Amino acid sequence: MKQTAQLILLILIATMAFSCKTSTVQVADLKTEGLVDPLGIDRVKPHLSWIMESPDRGEMQTAYQILVASSRENLDNSTGDLWDSEKVVSEESFAVAYDGAELSSGTEAFWKVKVWDAGGQESSWSPVAKWSMGILKAVDWKAKWIGLDRAIGTDKPDQINRVLSARYLRKEFSIGKKVKRATAYIVGLGVYELYLNGEKVGDHVLSPGLTEYPKRSFYITYDITDLVLDGNNTAGTILGNGRYFSPRFNEPTPTVTYGYPKMLLQIALQYEDGSEEIIVSDESWKITTDGPIVSNNEYDGEFYDARKEMPGWNQNGYDDTDWMQAELVENPSENLSAQMTQPIRITGAITPVALSNPEPGVWIFDMGQNLVGWTKLTVQAEAGTKTIQRFAESLKEDGTLYLDNIRGAKVTDTYITKGDGVETFSPRFVFHGFRYVELTGFPGTPELSSLEGKVVNDDLPLVGTFQCSNELINQIYKNAFWGLRGNYRSIPTDCPQRDERQGWLGDRAAGSRGESYMFDISKLYNKWLVDIFDAQKETGSISDVCPAYWPFYNDNVTWAGTPVQLVKMLYDQYGDPRVVKKSYSSLKKWMDHMIGSYMADDIMPRDTYGDWCVPPIDPKVIHTKDPERLTAHDYIGTTYFCQKLKLMEGFAAMLGKTEDEKYFNELHSKMKGAFHKKFFDEKTQKYSNNSATANILALAFDLVPSAYEQIIFDNLVKKIEVEHHSHITTGLIGQQFFNRTLTGYGRADLAYLVNTQKDYPSYGYMIENGATTIWELWNGNTADPAMNSGNHVMLLGDFLIWLYEDLAGIKPDVSNPGFKHVIMKPTLIDGLDFVKASHKSPYGMIISEWNATDDEFDWNITIPANTTATLYIPVKEVPEIIESGNIYEVPENMTQDGLSEINIISGSYHFKSNLK
């Protein structure tokens, strides 16, 4: 109550000040459904968001007005013919639902917004934003699915390394009127490129996004107005395999395949005279498999024979007499949905840093960074010269590629020259995880410029920065950045290089929260939830891998229960309650399935993988067999299910489902009691086998009776400090709560010490041994190659969360989520002199930059307009805080545990406090 009163007073003071002057507020960063000017969305009442900006302190939005028009001209005239919200008294600036005229397929909408500030002053109108609707009803699709549902020519779909050539399709059509607007809607499975009159449409690659194909396929919308010609036009597409035509059948595990590549394309033409016409995919299209992409397989690479290029195939007048007629094929999916996520793009380029020649004719390019994507090869040679590239994350001692950890993937791109001067080659439908590239068959001696690395990933906005006085921490952060970036492939993948590349749920259960501080993952993870629920069985069972290309329906809590945590993360970090509402029934279905099928005596025994990848003593093995380092399956299953019950209780309360809320609460209480009774030994005062993970889970999930909390924490500290010499002691499960548990119980110094070690096992050990991403195993340089990816992010656990929320002190108030109210509570640690961090929240940029000496704490912060914050400032016994050169009065009763709690309004501040 005191905090609320203090904030109200501050806001009132700010309001009085603002009432006497012109508004300095600007409105920026307009988004529709979380995207900038999206085309072809299929949400009929899309959510609109904007950011309020002001240099002044205490600015709050008190009202807004939105105008939505069917044309730019109408909007420029401030005519909201689709919607005029009029003045709405509200602080809402995130996820405001459109509430105007009903929108039909293909409708364009232009919009702008203005706001009223804390003093009631009106801002100017924002810049104009726009969106367009996709194809909203099945009857609006007039196109037909076409393709070639069989092997042909050199295709070898039945061998282990499946070989299938790319499908090329083309269609000429004529336009006899002046075009006002032209829009293309396309589904190309597995992946495609679309061309119009010889020009590639858009800059997407590896499109569309991966889905649970029997349930859903994505269509992509393009504005092609500038590409259509008066008179004759030609549309062309290339279809690659992606995951629709799976890379394998049974290696390394049974893999679902869905069929041969296929396409659905609809071009909508709106003419200046008001008439309309559509061009569709149908049996009149022509198709060939005899193009230059002889084969494409995500595991094995692409084989491109430039001698087979077909100049002009996607332009008017090409002779396609030898092409076949496209065939009508079956609809592959129950639903066609708009892809409402950021696309995959080429997001960067890297020049090699070194070139070596370990064997005659073998050239090794070192990119200097483990990355995900492909290369651009530049070569000049006689026709028929075969150049071969292979990709790896590390080298053998003799300087050649180390490929054992790539397992069965061939990771080979082959290019055969056409002999036409300087030629360049990049693959279209494959990607690799690599630092090193082996080039053979190159004529003469290559130069560093002969290869360029292309970085490929979901083009997610970067929303966070972090830097501190410890360079090792900074390097770990950089490794995490590259690892996360490379594993965004329309789903969060486990790894990008070997014969796997799957969406393992448990890998991101807790770590996704840390990711959200670095990247805007809201659209990606909302999309992944759709994949997860699309793959959910009628029984409620959820696969450990989603989409369920590897259908592992093991009914274990830690992996299959991940969506419960993802929903919580998305709500906390972005504040959109829709994710809870739309996910609740699927989550409850899974909970009911697990309870009804497996719970006994209020214990949940289901756990498949244990504390995955605990660091073993023997550096050559993957999984430890030391019973003191392992954590029992029923212990993990029970603790994690308790956590899920507590989260579900909160979701039920949010949605007003009082009976469910009561049910989850009561079951949680019973499980908590049963857990303590079964696993706690009164004689030894330990849980289970006293592993670090056992102690962490009990503490992190609030399962320890208060009388025993300190005892259990002391057990954990002893385990880490004494038995493991202040090194990593956990695998994936324990690591998810490792740093926060230590910090929450007052031992941030121990977390810091563990994270800054440089010998095994530690992140520093990875870096000391050349890692530029995060390894799959703590002993990834010595373990069995069957499972030692050099680019996995699962072992990050809560490391990034700890950096932002505990070291930098930036955290959302879960009772006012999405950073509408910010909790800023930095943790000072001996040896850590400064932290500089920023995070762009849905309301704007939050900045925390502090320096600490023995005598003084110096803190620069920025809280975005339309938000408030609670600060916790380190002070000496008698609080004395200086803010921008002035003494800041702090009520004495708000000082506790060496921290002064202060509520502030938005703005930039510079605080100083005495520490001695």
Side-chain angles (χ1 to χ4, degrees), residues 585-621:
S585 61
S586 297
L587 298 179
K588 188 173 185 299
K589 188 176 183 180
W590 176 77
M591 298 288 291
D592 290 344
H593 167 67
M594 297 298 290
I595 293 166
S597 300
Y598 302 110
M599 185 171 285
D601 300 322
D602 297 321
I603 294 296
M604 176 55 71
R606 298 297 296 180
D607 172 65
T608 302
Y609 307 106
D611 190 16
W612 191 248
C613 297
V614 173
I617 298 173
D618 183 348
K620 295 181 181 179
V621 304

Side-chain angles (χ1 to χ4, degrees), residues 770-812:
T772 59
T773 45
I774 303 297
W775 291 347
E776 181 177 20
L777 301 174
W778 299 109
N779 56 331
N781 61 327
T782 58
D784 187 307
M787 200 187 89
N788 64 352
S789 156
N791 191 353
H792 250 68
V793 297
M794 65 181 185
L795 291 182
L796 279 171
D798 67 352
F799 177 77
L800 293 176
I801 306 172
W802 182 66
L803 294 187
Y804 278 96
E805 294 189 357
D806 291 308
L807 297 192
I810 299 174
K811 186 177 183 179

Side-chain angles (χ1 to χ4, degrees), residues 472-485:
L472 178 56
I473 294 287
N474 294 337
Q475 186 61 51
I476 299 169
Y477 183 87
K478 181 180 178 182
N479 284 31
F481 167 82
W482 279 97
L484 290 167
R485 182 186 190 184

Side-chain angles (χ1 to χ4, degrees), residues 36 79 123 266 338-339 436-437 498 504 600 744 759 799 803 825 835 839 901:
V36 177
T79 301
S123 76
Q266 186 159 309
Q339 180 173 308
Y436 299 97
V437 185
R498 67 186 181 211
W504 283 93
D759 55 340
F799 177 77
L803 294 187
K825 189 177 181 180
V835 168
H839 172 63
E901 181 180 334

Side-chain angles (χ1 to χ4, degrees), residues 270-291:
Q270 296 179 0
Y271 295 115
E272 293 282 1
D273 65 5
S275 62
E276 297 181 353
E277 183 182 4
I278 59 172
I279 309 297
V280 299
S281 54
D282 58 22
E283 58 270 44
S284 69
W285 283 58
K286 302 295 284 289
I287 187 171
T288 185
T289 63
D290 196 26

